[in-house]
Amino acid sequence: MKKIIFIITIFLCNILNAQVEFSNTRFGIIAGPNVSAVTNAHNPSSRRTAFMAGAFAEVPIDFYRCRCEYNQLYIQAELLYVASGENGSKYDEKRKYHADYLSIPIFLKGYLTKTASSFYGYGGPRFGFLVNQNVVNPPPGRDYYAGDEGKAATFDFALAGGIGYSFNRKFEVSVRVEYGLSNAYPKLDIDYEISGDPDALKRKSQQIVSLGISYTFD
C-alpha cells in the first residue's frame, strides 16, 4: 500500500509540473453499447445489454514543452448516461434488475504516437450517481419497494480503463472495462436469508464492458 501511495504521489507531482493546456481543450460526444453484470447480487442472474451516451472534454498535457501538433498525453473527463444492472437468469428473461447512472469518469489518456492516427490507452476512476432503478417481476418474498433491501446504492465507484484507435484525432473507437469497488447493493441480504448462501453476504460489485464510438469537435 505504501508503494502504491508513493507511486501515485510521484505521478501527481509530475502532472502538476507539466503544462496542462486548458486553452486547447477539445470537446466531443461518445456513445455505444454496453454489457453489465453484478456479482453476488441476484443469483441466478444474467447480463444486461444496454447503452451509454454522453459528452467529454479532452485537455492536452505537455511534459516537455514540445508544442507538438498532436500531443500524446491528455486528461479526459466525461459526463455519461449509463444504463446498467442485470437481468434474471437466462431461463427467466422477464425478470429485470436495472439501474441507470449519471457517470463521471476522469481518465489519463495516452496515444502511442504523435501522429494524427494512432492507438491509445486510458484509465482512471469513475464516479456513478444513481438516477433511475427499475425492478421487474422480482422473486416471491423479495420486496424491492418497501424499505431499502434490494435497492441499488445511490453512489457507485469504479476503476475503468480501455484501449482504442483514433482516426485523425476525430473519430475514435474504444473498448472499455469498468470494475466496481463499492457495494452496488449494500443492503441486499435477502438471498442469504432465503438460501443461506454465504456468497450473498459478499460485496456486490458491478462490472461493465462497453464499446465507445466518439467524435471530437475542432
Side-chain angles (χ1 to χ4, degrees), residues 34-100:
N34 65 16
V35 178
S36 61
V38 185
T39 58
N40 304 315
H42 309 102
N43 299 325
S45 62
S46 61
R47 300 175 181 85
R48 179 190 182 188
T49 300
F51 70 95
M52 61 88 176
F56 64 88
E58 189 179 73
V59 185
I61 301 173
D62 187 357
F63 275 107
Y64 305 107
R65 310 295 194 268
C66 70
R67 299 297 182 182
C68 304
E69 182 179 2
Y70 298 105
N71 289 67
Q72 285 186 267
L73 197 61
Y74 293 80
I75 294 175
Q76 181 166 303
E78 302 178 351
L79 182 63
L80 307 173
Y81 186 92
V82 179
S84 57
E86 57 184 0
N87 294 320
S89 69
K90 60 182 179 180
Y91 304 107
D92 189 0
E93 297 179 354
K94 295 182 179 180
R95 187 164 293 158
K96 304 181 187 301
Y97 309 98
H98 294 177
D100 301 340

Short mmCIF file of all heavy atoms in Angstrom, two decimals, residues 34-100:
data_model
loop_
_atom_site.label_atom_id
_atom_site.label_comp_id
_atom_site.label_asym_id
_atom_site.label_seq_id
_atom_site.Cartn_x
_atom_site.Cartn_y
_atom_site.Cartn_z
N ASN A 34 -23.25 -1.42 -24.30
CA ASN A 34 -22.50 -1.98 -23.17
C ASN A 34 -23.18 -3.24 -22.65
O ASN A 34 -24.35 -3.52 -22.96
CB ASN A 34 -22.31 -0.96 -22.05
CG ASN A 34 -23.60 -0.53 -21.40
OD1 ASN A 34 -24.63 -1.18 -21.54
ND2 ASN A 34 -23.58 0.57 -20.67
N VAL A 35 -22.41 -4.00 -21.88
CA VAL A 35 -22.90 -5.21 -21.21
C VAL A 35 -22.51 -5.11 -19.75
O VAL A 35 -21.35 -4.83 -19.43
CB VAL A 35 -22.32 -6.49 -21.84
CG1 VAL A 35 -22.81 -7.72 -21.08
CG2 VAL A 35 -22.68 -6.58 -23.31
N SER A 36 -23.47 -5.31 -18.85
CA SER A 36 -23.20 -5.16 -17.42
C SER A 36 -23.69 -6.36 -16.63
O SER A 36 -24.58 -7.09 -17.05
CB SER A 36 -23.86 -3.88 -16.88
OG SER A 36 -25.27 -3.94 -17.05
N ALA A 37 -23.08 -6.53 -15.46
CA ALA A 37 -23.46 -7.60 -14.54
C ALA A 37 -23.06 -7.18 -13.13
O ALA A 37 -22.23 -6.28 -12.95
CB ALA A 37 -22.80 -8.92 -14.92
N VAL A 38 -23.65 -7.83 -12.13
CA VAL A 38 -23.33 -7.55 -10.73
C VAL A 38 -23.05 -8.88 -10.04
O VAL A 38 -23.89 -9.79 -10.07
CB VAL A 38 -24.47 -6.83 -10.00
CG1 VAL A 38 -24.05 -6.45 -8.58
CG2 VAL A 38 -24.89 -5.58 -10.77
N THR A 39 -21.87 -9.03 -9.46
CA THR A 39 -21.52 -10.28 -8.78
C THR A 39 -22.18 -10.34 -7.41
O THR A 39 -22.33 -9.34 -6.73
CB THR A 39 -20.00 -10.41 -8.61
OG1 THR A 39 -19.51 -9.28 -7.87
CG2 THR A 39 -19.31 -10.44 -9.96
N ASN A 40 -22.58 -11.54 -7.03
CA ASN A 40 -23.11 -11.85 -5.69
C ASN A 40 -24.40 -11.11 -5.36
O ASN A 40 -24.73 -10.93 -4.18
CB ASN A 40 -22.07 -11.51 -4.60
CG ASN A 40 -20.76 -12.21 -4.82
OD1 ASN A 40 -20.72 -13.40 -5.13
ND2 ASN A 40 -19.67 -11.47 -4.69
N ALA A 41 -25.17 -10.70 -6.37
CA ALA A 41 -26.38 -9.93 -6.09
C ALA A 41 -27.65 -10.75 -6.27
O ALA A 41 -28.21 -11.26 -5.30
CB ALA A 41 -26.41 -8.69 -6.96
N HIS A 42 -28.11 -10.90 -7.50
CA HIS A 42 -29.41 -11.52 -7.74
C HIS A 42 -29.24 -12.92 -8.34
O HIS A 42 -29.71 -13.18 -9.43
CB HIS A 42 -30.24 -10.64 -8.67
CG HIS A 42 -30.32 -9.23 -8.24
ND1 HIS A 42 -29.58 -8.22 -8.81
CD2 HIS A 42 -31.04 -8.65 -7.25
CE1 HIS A 42 -29.85 -7.07 -8.22
NE2 HIS A 42 -30.73 -7.29 -7.26
N ASN A 43 -28.55 -13.79 -7.65
CA ASN A 43 -28.29 -15.12 -8.17
C ASN A 43 -29.56 -15.97 -8.14
O ASN A 43 -30.25 -16.02 -7.13
CB ASN A 43 -27.19 -15.80 -7.35
CG ASN A 43 -25.89 -15.03 -7.41
OD1 ASN A 43 -25.57 -14.44 -8.42
ND2 ASN A 43 -25.16 -15.02 -6.30
N PRO A 44 -29.87 -16.70 -9.25
CA PRO A 44 -29.13 -16.67 -10.53
C PRO A 44 -29.54 -15.45 -11.36
O PRO A 44 -30.66 -14.96 -11.26
CB PRO A 44 -29.59 -17.96 -11.22
CG PRO A 44 -30.98 -18.16 -10.72
CD PRO A 44 -30.97 -17.67 -9.29
N SER A 45 -28.61 -14.95 -12.14
CA SER A 45 -28.88 -13.77 -12.95
C SER A 45 -28.10 -13.86 -14.25
O SER A 45 -27.27 -14.75 -14.44
CB SER A 45 -28.49 -12.51 -12.18
OG SER A 45 -27.10 -12.51 -11.89
N SER A 46 -28.38 -12.92 -15.14
CA SER A 46 -27.68 -12.87 -16.42
C SER A 46 -27.34 -11.41 -16.73
O SER A 46 -27.84 -10.48 -16.09
CB SER A 46 -28.54 -13.46 -17.54
OG SER A 46 -29.75 -12.73 -17.68
N ARG A 47 -26.49 -11.21 -17.71
CA ARG A 47 -26.02 -9.87 -18.04
C ARG A 47 -27.11 -9.04 -18.72
O ARG A 47 -28.00 -9.57 -19.37
CB ARG A 47 -24.80 -9.95 -18.96
CG ARG A 47 -23.62 -10.68 -18.34
CD ARG A 47 -22.49 -10.82 -19.35
NE ARG A 47 -21.34 -11.54 -18.80
CZ ARG A 47 -21.21 -12.85 -18.77
NH1 ARG A 47 -22.17 -13.61 -19.30
NH2 ARG A 47 -20.14 -13.41 -18.24
N ARG A 48 -27.00 -7.74 -18.54
CA ARG A 48 -27.89 -6.81 -19.23
C ARG A 48 -27.13 -6.16 -20.39
O ARG A 48 -26.02 -5.68 -20.21
CB ARG A 48 -28.39 -5.70 -18.29
CG ARG A 48 -29.29 -4.69 -19.00
CD ARG A 48 -29.58 -3.47 -18.14
NE ARG A 48 -30.49 -2.57 -18.84
CZ ARG A 48 -30.82 -1.34 -18.41
NH1 ARG A 48 -30.30 -0.87 -17.29
NH2 ARG A 48 -31.67 -0.60 -19.11
N THR A 49 -27.72 -6.15 -21.56
CA THR A 49 -27.17 -5.44 -22.70
C THR A 49 -27.92 -4.13 -22.88
O THR A 49 -29.15 -4.13 -23.01
CB THR A 49 -27.29 -6.29 -23.99
OG1 THR A 49 -26.58 -7.51 -23.81
CG2 THR A 49 -26.70 -5.55 -25.17
N ALA A 50 -27.19 -3.01 -22.85
CA ALA A 50 -27.84 -1.71 -22.90
C ALA A 50 -26.95 -0.72 -23.65
O ALA A 50 -26.38 -1.07 -24.70
CB ALA A 50 -28.15 -1.22 -21.49
N PHE A 51 -26.78 0.49 -23.12
CA PHE A 51 -26.04 1.52 -23.85
C PHE A 51 -25.47 2.54 -22.88
O PHE A 51 -25.83 2.61 -21.71
CB PHE A 51 -26.96 2.25 -24.83
CG PHE A 51 -27.97 3.13 -24.13
CD1 PHE A 51 -27.72 4.49 -23.95
CD2 PHE A 51 -29.15 2.59 -23.62
CE1 PHE A 51 -28.64 5.30 -23.29
CE2 PHE A 51 -30.07 3.39 -22.96
CZ PHE A 51 -29.81 4.75 -22.79
N MET A 52 -24.56 3.34 -23.40
CA MET A 52 -24.07 4.53 -22.70
C MET A 52 -23.92 5.65 -23.73
O MET A 52 -23.65 5.39 -24.91
CB MET A 52 -22.74 4.26 -21.98
CG MET A 52 -21.59 3.85 -22.87
SD MET A 52 -20.65 5.25 -23.51
CE MET A 52 -19.32 4.41 -24.38
N ALA A 53 -24.11 6.91 -23.27
CA ALA A 53 -24.01 8.04 -24.18
C ALA A 53 -23.73 9.30 -23.39
O ALA A 53 -24.16 9.43 -22.23
CB ALA A 53 -25.29 8.20 -24.99
N GLY A 54 -22.98 10.23 -24.00
CA GLY A 54 -22.70 11.48 -23.30
C GLY A 54 -21.69 12.32 -24.04
O GLY A 54 -21.52 12.22 -25.26
N ALA A 55 -21.00 13.18 -23.27
CA ALA A 55 -20.04 14.11 -23.84
C ALA A 55 -18.76 14.08 -23.02
O ALA A 55 -18.73 13.54 -21.90
CB ALA A 55 -20.62 15.52 -23.86
N PHE A 56 -17.69 14.65 -23.59
CA PHE A 56 -16.41 14.64 -22.89
C PHE A 56 -15.62 15.89 -23.24
O PHE A 56 -15.86 16.58 -24.25
CB PHE A 56 -15.60 13.39 -23.23
CG PHE A 56 -15.20 13.28 -24.67
CD1 PHE A 56 -14.01 13.85 -25.13
CD2 PHE A 56 -16.00 12.60 -25.58
CE1 PHE A 56 -13.65 13.74 -26.46
CE2 PHE A 56 -15.64 12.49 -26.91
CZ PHE A 56 -14.46 13.05 -27.35
N ALA A 57 -14.65 16.19 -22.38
CA ALA A 57 -13.67 17.25 -22.61
C ALA A 57 -12.29 16.63 -22.55
O ALA A 57 -12.00 15.81 -21.66
CB ALA A 57 -13.81 18.36 -21.57
N GLU A 58 -11.42 17.01 -23.47
CA GLU A 58 -10.08 16.44 -23.59
C GLU A 58 -9.05 17.56 -23.48
O GLU A 58 -9.02 18.47 -24.31
CB GLU A 58 -9.96 15.72 -24.93
CG GLU A 58 -8.71 14.90 -25.11
CD GLU A 58 -8.68 14.21 -26.46
OE1 GLU A 58 -8.47 14.90 -27.47
OE2 GLU A 58 -8.91 12.99 -26.49
N VAL A 59 -8.24 17.50 -22.41
CA VAL A 59 -7.28 18.56 -22.13
C VAL A 59 -5.87 18.03 -22.35
O VAL A 59 -5.45 17.07 -21.70
CB VAL A 59 -7.41 19.07 -20.68
CG1 VAL A 59 -6.48 20.26 -20.45
CG2 VAL A 59 -8.84 19.44 -20.36
N PRO A 60 -5.10 18.63 -23.26
CA PRO A 60 -3.73 18.14 -23.52
C PRO A 60 -2.78 18.47 -22.38
O PRO A 60 -2.90 19.51 -21.73
CB PRO A 60 -3.33 18.85 -24.81
CG PRO A 60 -4.19 20.07 -24.87
CD PRO A 60 -5.47 19.71 -24.18
N ILE A 61 -1.81 17.58 -22.16
CA ILE A 61 -0.75 17.78 -21.17
C ILE A 61 0.58 17.76 -21.91
O ILE A 61 0.85 16.84 -22.68
CB ILE A 61 -0.77 16.67 -20.10
CG1 ILE A 61 -2.11 16.64 -19.38
CG2 ILE A 61 0.36 16.87 -19.09
CD1 ILE A 61 -2.24 15.47 -18.43
N ASP A 62 1.40 18.75 -21.65
CA ASP A 62 2.70 18.85 -22.32
C ASP A 62 3.80 18.80 -21.27
O ASP A 62 4.06 19.77 -20.57
CB ASP A 62 2.77 20.15 -23.12
CG ASP A 62 4.03 20.22 -23.98
OD1 ASP A 62 4.85 19.28 -23.89
OD2 ASP A 62 4.18 21.20 -24.73
N PHE A 63 4.47 17.65 -21.15
CA PHE A 63 5.54 17.49 -20.17
C PHE A 63 6.81 18.21 -20.60
O PHE A 63 7.54 18.76 -19.79
CB PHE A 63 5.86 16.00 -19.96
CG PHE A 63 4.97 15.35 -18.95
CD1 PHE A 63 3.99 14.47 -19.35
CD2 PHE A 63 5.11 15.61 -17.60
CE1 PHE A 63 3.16 13.86 -18.43
CE2 PHE A 63 4.30 15.00 -16.67
CZ PHE A 63 3.32 14.13 -17.08
N TYR A 64 7.08 18.19 -21.89
CA TYR A 64 8.39 18.63 -22.37
C TYR A 64 8.33 19.94 -23.16
O TYR A 64 9.31 20.33 -23.79
CB TYR A 64 9.01 17.54 -23.25
CG TYR A 64 9.08 16.22 -22.54
CD1 TYR A 64 8.22 15.17 -22.88
CD2 TYR A 64 9.99 16.01 -21.49
CE1 TYR A 64 8.29 13.96 -22.22
CE2 TYR A 64 10.05 14.79 -20.84
CZ TYR A 64 9.19 13.77 -21.20
OH TYR A 64 9.24 12.57 -20.54
N ARG A 65 7.18 20.63 -23.12
CA ARG A 65 7.01 21.90 -23.83
C ARG A 65 7.36 21.75 -25.32
O ARG A 65 8.00 22.60 -25.92
CB ARG A 65 7.88 23.00 -23.21
CG ARG A 65 7.77 23.14 -21.70
CD ARG A 65 6.38 23.57 -21.28
NE ARG A 65 6.35 24.02 -19.90
CZ ARG A 65 6.10 23.26 -18.86
NH1 ARG A 65 5.88 21.97 -19.06
NH2 ARG A 65 6.05 23.75 -17.63
N CYS A 66 6.96 20.62 -25.88
CA CYS A 66 7.34 20.35 -27.26
C CYS A 66 6.49 21.13 -28.27
O CYS A 66 6.89 21.31 -29.42
CB CYS A 66 7.25 18.86 -27.57
SG CYS A 66 5.56 18.23 -27.63
N ARG A 67 5.30 21.57 -27.84
CA ARG A 67 4.40 22.29 -28.72
C ARG A 67 4.13 21.51 -30.01
O ARG A 67 4.16 22.04 -31.12
CB ARG A 67 4.96 23.67 -29.07
CG ARG A 67 5.16 24.57 -27.86
CD ARG A 67 3.83 24.86 -27.19
NE ARG A 67 3.99 25.75 -26.04
CZ ARG A 67 2.99 26.12 -25.26
NH1 ARG A 67 1.78 25.65 -25.50
NH2 ARG A 67 3.19 26.93 -24.25
N CYS A 68 3.90 20.21 -29.83
CA CYS A 68 3.68 19.35 -30.99
C CYS A 68 2.28 19.58 -31.55
O CYS A 68 1.37 20.02 -30.85
CB CYS A 68 3.84 17.88 -30.58
SG CYS A 68 5.42 17.50 -29.81
N GLU A 69 2.11 19.24 -32.82
CA GLU A 69 0.79 19.37 -33.42
C GLU A 69 -0.20 18.41 -32.77
O GLU A 69 -1.36 18.76 -32.56
CB GLU A 69 0.88 19.09 -34.92
CG GLU A 69 -0.46 19.24 -35.63
CD GLU A 69 -0.37 18.99 -37.11
OE1 GLU A 69 0.75 18.64 -37.58
OE2 GLU A 69 -1.39 19.12 -37.80
N TYR A 70 0.28 17.22 -32.41
CA TYR A 70 -0.57 16.23 -31.76
C TYR A 70 0.10 15.79 -30.46
O TYR A 70 1.13 15.11 -30.49
CB TYR A 70 -0.80 15.03 -32.67
CG TYR A 70 -1.51 15.37 -33.95
CD1 TYR A 70 -0.81 15.42 -35.15
CD2 TYR A 70 -2.87 15.67 -33.96
CE1 TYR A 70 -1.45 15.73 -36.33
CE2 TYR A 70 -3.52 15.99 -35.14
CZ TYR A 70 -2.81 16.03 -36.32
OH TYR A 70 -3.46 16.35 -37.48
N ASN A 71 -0.49 16.17 -29.34
CA ASN A 71 0.03 15.73 -28.05
C ASN A 71 -0.20 14.24 -27.88
O ASN A 71 -1.11 13.65 -28.48
CB ASN A 71 -0.65 16.50 -26.93
CG ASN A 71 -0.22 17.95 -26.85
OD1 ASN A 71 -0.52 18.73 -27.75
ND2 ASN A 71 0.47 18.30 -25.79
N GLN A 72 0.58 13.65 -27.00
CA GLN A 72 0.41 12.23 -26.71
C GLN A 72 -0.33 11.97 -25.41
O GLN A 72 -0.88 10.89 -25.22
CB GLN A 72 1.78 11.53 -26.64
CG GLN A 72 2.42 11.31 -28.00
CD GLN A 72 3.68 10.50 -27.90
OE1 GLN A 72 4.77 11.04 -27.80
NE2 GLN A 72 3.55 9.18 -27.91
N LEU A 73 -0.39 12.94 -24.53
CA LEU A 73 -0.98 12.73 -23.21
C LEU A 73 -2.10 13.73 -22.96
O LEU A 73 -1.95 14.93 -23.24
CB LEU A 73 0.09 12.85 -22.13
CG LEU A 73 -0.25 12.27 -20.75
CD1 LEU A 73 -0.53 10.78 -20.85
CD2 LEU A 73 0.89 12.54 -19.78
N TYR A 74 -3.21 13.23 -22.40
CA TYR A 74 -4.39 14.07 -22.17
C TYR A 74 -5.06 13.68 -20.85
O TYR A 74 -4.91 12.56 -20.37
CB TYR A 74 -5.42 13.89 -23.29
CG TYR A 74 -5.00 14.42 -24.63
CD1 TYR A 74 -4.15 13.67 -25.45
CD2 TYR A 74 -5.44 15.65 -25.09
CE1 TYR A 74 -3.76 14.15 -26.69
CE2 TYR A 74 -5.05 16.13 -26.33
CZ TYR A 74 -4.22 15.38 -27.13
OH TYR A 74 -3.82 15.85 -28.35
N ILE A 75 -5.82 14.62 -20.32
CA ILE A 75 -6.80 14.32 -19.28
C ILE A 75 -8.16 14.37 -19.96
O ILE A 75 -8.51 15.38 -20.60
CB ILE A 75 -6.74 15.33 -18.13
CG1 ILE A 75 -5.41 15.22 -17.38
CG2 ILE A 75 -7.90 15.08 -17.16
CD1 ILE A 75 -5.22 16.27 -16.31
N GLN A 76 -8.92 13.30 -19.83
CA GLN A 76 -10.24 13.25 -20.47
C GLN A 76 -11.30 13.05 -19.39
O GLN A 76 -11.29 12.05 -18.68
CB GLN A 76 -10.32 12.14 -21.51
CG GLN A 76 -11.68 12.07 -22.21
CD GLN A 76 -11.64 11.19 -23.45
OE1 GLN A 76 -10.86 11.42 -24.36
NE2 GLN A 76 -12.50 10.19 -23.49
N ALA A 77 -12.19 14.01 -19.26
CA ALA A 77 -13.31 13.94 -18.32
C ALA A 77 -14.60 13.76 -19.11
O ALA A 77 -14.82 14.44 -20.11
CB ALA A 77 -13.37 15.20 -17.47
N GLU A 78 -15.44 12.85 -18.64
CA GLU A 78 -16.67 12.54 -19.37
C GLU A 78 -17.90 12.72 -18.48
O GLU A 78 -17.82 12.61 -17.25
CB GLU A 78 -16.63 11.08 -19.87
CG GLU A 78 -15.45 10.78 -20.78
CD GLU A 78 -15.41 9.34 -21.22
OE1 GLU A 78 -16.20 8.53 -20.69
OE2 GLU A 78 -14.58 9.01 -22.08
N LEU A 79 -19.02 12.98 -19.11
CA LEU A 79 -20.32 13.01 -18.45
C LEU A 79 -21.24 12.12 -19.26
O LEU A 79 -21.60 12.45 -20.39
CB LEU A 79 -20.86 14.43 -18.38
CG LEU A 79 -22.20 14.61 -17.67
CD1 LEU A 79 -22.10 14.21 -16.20
CD2 LEU A 79 -22.71 16.04 -17.79
N LEU A 80 -21.62 10.97 -18.67
CA LEU A 80 -22.33 9.94 -19.42
C LEU A 80 -23.61 9.51 -18.72
O LEU A 80 -23.71 9.54 -17.49
CB LEU A 80 -21.45 8.69 -19.59
CG LEU A 80 -20.05 8.87 -20.18
CD1 LEU A 80 -19.30 7.56 -20.10
CD2 LEU A 80 -20.12 9.37 -21.61
N TYR A 81 -24.57 9.09 -19.52
CA TYR A 81 -25.72 8.34 -19.01
C TYR A 81 -25.43 6.87 -19.30
O TYR A 81 -25.26 6.49 -20.46
CB TYR A 81 -27.01 8.77 -19.69
CG TYR A 81 -28.24 8.12 -19.09
CD1 TYR A 81 -28.94 8.74 -18.06
CD2 TYR A 81 -28.69 6.88 -19.54
CE1 TYR A 81 -30.07 8.16 -17.50
CE2 TYR A 81 -29.81 6.28 -18.98
CZ TYR A 81 -30.50 6.93 -17.96
OH TYR A 81 -31.60 6.34 -17.40
N VAL A 82 -25.37 6.06 -18.27
CA VAL A 82 -25.00 4.66 -18.42
C VAL A 82 -26.14 3.78 -17.91
O VAL A 82 -26.52 3.83 -16.73
CB VAL A 82 -23.71 4.32 -17.65
CG1 VAL A 82 -23.36 2.85 -17.80
CG2 VAL A 82 -22.55 5.19 -18.14
N ALA A 83 -26.70 2.98 -18.79
CA ALA A 83 -27.72 2.00 -18.42
C ALA A 83 -27.02 0.71 -18.03
O ALA A 83 -26.28 0.14 -18.82
CB ALA A 83 -28.68 1.77 -19.58
N SER A 84 -27.24 0.25 -16.79
CA SER A 84 -26.51 -0.92 -16.31
C SER A 84 -27.42 -1.77 -15.42
O SER A 84 -28.65 -1.66 -15.47
CB SER A 84 -25.26 -0.48 -15.54
OG SER A 84 -25.61 0.37 -14.47
N GLY A 85 -26.81 -2.63 -14.60
CA GLY A 85 -27.56 -3.58 -13.80
C GLY A 85 -27.49 -4.97 -14.40
O GLY A 85 -26.52 -5.31 -15.09
N GLU A 86 -28.54 -5.76 -14.20
CA GLU A 86 -28.56 -7.11 -14.75
C GLU A 86 -29.98 -7.60 -14.90
O GLU A 86 -30.94 -6.93 -14.49
CB GLU A 86 -27.74 -8.06 -13.87
CG GLU A 86 -28.18 -8.13 -12.43
CD GLU A 86 -27.26 -9.01 -11.59
OE1 GLU A 86 -26.30 -9.56 -12.12
OE2 GLU A 86 -27.54 -9.16 -10.38
N ASN A 87 -30.13 -8.78 -15.52
CA ASN A 87 -31.43 -9.41 -15.70
C ASN A 87 -31.50 -10.67 -14.85
O ASN A 87 -30.53 -11.07 -14.20
CB ASN A 87 -31.66 -9.76 -17.17
CG ASN A 87 -31.78 -8.52 -18.04
OD1 ASN A 87 -32.40 -7.54 -17.65
ND2 ASN A 87 -31.20 -8.56 -19.22
N GLY A 88 -32.67 -11.32 -14.89
CA GLY A 88 -32.81 -12.59 -14.23
C GLY A 88 -32.02 -13.67 -14.97
O GLY A 88 -31.28 -13.38 -15.91
N SER A 89 -32.15 -14.90 -14.55
CA SER A 89 -31.42 -15.98 -15.20
C SER A 89 -31.85 -16.11 -16.65
O SER A 89 -32.87 -15.57 -17.08
CB SER A 89 -31.66 -17.30 -14.47
OG SER A 89 -33.00 -17.73 -14.67
N LYS A 90 -31.05 -16.83 -17.42
CA LYS A 90 -31.36 -16.98 -18.85
C LYS A 90 -32.67 -17.74 -19.07
O LYS A 90 -33.21 -17.74 -20.18
CB LYS A 90 -30.22 -17.71 -19.55
CG LYS A 90 -29.94 -19.10 -18.99
CD LYS A 90 -28.75 -19.72 -19.71
CE LYS A 90 -28.44 -21.12 -19.16
NZ LYS A 90 -27.29 -21.74 -19.85
N TYR A 91 -33.19 -18.39 -18.00
CA TYR A 91 -34.45 -19.10 -18.11
C TYR A 91 -35.63 -18.22 -17.69
O TYR A 91 -36.78 -18.63 -17.78
CB TYR A 91 -34.42 -20.35 -17.24
CG TYR A 91 -33.27 -21.26 -17.57
CD1 TYR A 91 -32.18 -21.37 -16.72
CD2 TYR A 91 -33.27 -22.01 -18.75
CE1 TYR A 91 -31.11 -22.19 -17.03
CE2 TYR A 91 -32.20 -22.83 -19.07
CZ TYR A 91 -31.13 -22.92 -18.20
OH TYR A 91 -30.07 -23.73 -18.51
N ASP A 92 -35.34 -17.00 -17.22
CA ASP A 92 -36.39 -16.10 -16.79
C ASP A 92 -36.05 -14.69 -17.27
O ASP A 92 -35.65 -13.82 -16.50
CB ASP A 92 -36.53 -16.12 -15.26
CG ASP A 92 -37.75 -15.34 -14.79
OD1 ASP A 92 -38.47 -14.81 -15.66
OD2 ASP A 92 -37.98 -15.26 -13.58
N GLU A 93 -36.20 -14.46 -18.57
CA GLU A 93 -35.79 -13.20 -19.17
C GLU A 93 -36.71 -12.04 -18.79
O GLU A 93 -36.35 -10.87 -19.00
CB GLU A 93 -35.76 -13.35 -20.69
CG GLU A 93 -34.73 -14.38 -21.17
CD GLU A 93 -34.73 -14.52 -22.67
OE1 GLU A 93 -35.61 -13.90 -23.31
OE2 GLU A 93 -33.86 -15.24 -23.19
N LYS A 94 -37.89 -12.30 -18.22
CA LYS A 94 -38.80 -11.23 -17.85
C LYS A 94 -38.38 -10.55 -16.55
O LYS A 94 -38.87 -9.47 -16.23
CB LYS A 94 -40.22 -11.77 -17.71
CG LYS A 94 -40.82 -12.28 -19.01
CD LYS A 94 -42.24 -12.76 -18.81
CE LYS A 94 -42.85 -13.24 -20.12
NZ LYS A 94 -44.25 -13.72 -19.93
N ARG A 95 -37.49 -11.15 -15.79
CA ARG A 95 -37.04 -10.57 -14.52
C ARG A 95 -35.90 -9.60 -14.79
O ARG A 95 -34.92 -9.92 -15.47
CB ARG A 95 -36.60 -11.69 -13.58
CG ARG A 95 -36.27 -11.25 -12.18
CD ARG A 95 -36.22 -12.45 -11.26
NE ARG A 95 -37.55 -13.03 -11.13
CZ ARG A 95 -37.80 -14.28 -10.75
NH1 ARG A 95 -36.79 -15.10 -10.48
NH2 ARG A 95 -39.04 -14.73 -10.64
N LYS A 96 -36.03 -8.39 -14.25
CA LYS A 96 -35.04 -7.35 -14.54
C LYS A 96 -34.63 -6.64 -13.25
O LYS A 96 -35.46 -6.38 -12.39
CB LYS A 96 -35.60 -6.33 -15.53
CG LYS A 96 -36.09 -6.93 -16.83
CD LYS A 96 -36.61 -5.88 -17.78
CE LYS A 96 -37.26 -6.49 -19.01
NZ LYS A 96 -36.35 -7.33 -19.78
N TYR A 97 -33.34 -6.33 -13.16
CA TYR A 97 -32.79 -5.52 -12.08
C TYR A 97 -31.94 -4.42 -12.71
O TYR A 97 -30.72 -4.51 -12.75
CB TYR A 97 -31.93 -6.38 -11.14
CG TYR A 97 -32.59 -7.64 -10.64
CD1 TYR A 97 -32.34 -8.86 -11.27
CD2 TYR A 97 -33.44 -7.62 -9.55
CE1 TYR A 97 -32.93 -10.03 -10.82
CE2 TYR A 97 -34.04 -8.78 -9.09
CZ TYR A 97 -33.79 -9.98 -9.73
OH TYR A 97 -34.37 -11.14 -9.28
N HIS A 98 -32.60 -3.41 -13.23
CA HIS A 98 -31.92 -2.38 -14.00
C HIS A 98 -31.63 -1.16 -13.13
O HIS A 98 -32.48 -0.73 -12.34
CB HIS A 98 -32.76 -1.96 -15.20
CG HIS A 98 -32.92 -3.05 -16.21
ND1 HIS A 98 -33.69 -2.91 -17.35
CD2 HIS A 98 -32.40 -4.31 -16.27
CE1 HIS A 98 -33.64 -4.04 -18.06
NE2 HIS A 98 -32.87 -4.90 -17.42
N ALA A 99 -30.44 -0.60 -13.28
CA ALA A 99 -30.04 0.60 -12.56
C ALA A 99 -29.25 1.49 -13.52
O ALA A 99 -28.26 1.05 -14.11
CB ALA A 99 -29.21 0.25 -11.34
N ASP A 100 -29.70 2.73 -13.68
CA ASP A 100 -29.05 3.66 -14.60
C ASP A 100 -28.34 4.76 -13.81
O ASP A 100 -28.88 5.26 -12.80
CB ASP A 100 -30.07 4.29 -15.55
CG ASP A 100 -30.81 3.24 -16.37
OD1 ASP A 100 -30.27 2.10 -16.49
OD2 ASP A 100 -31.90 3.53 -16.87
#
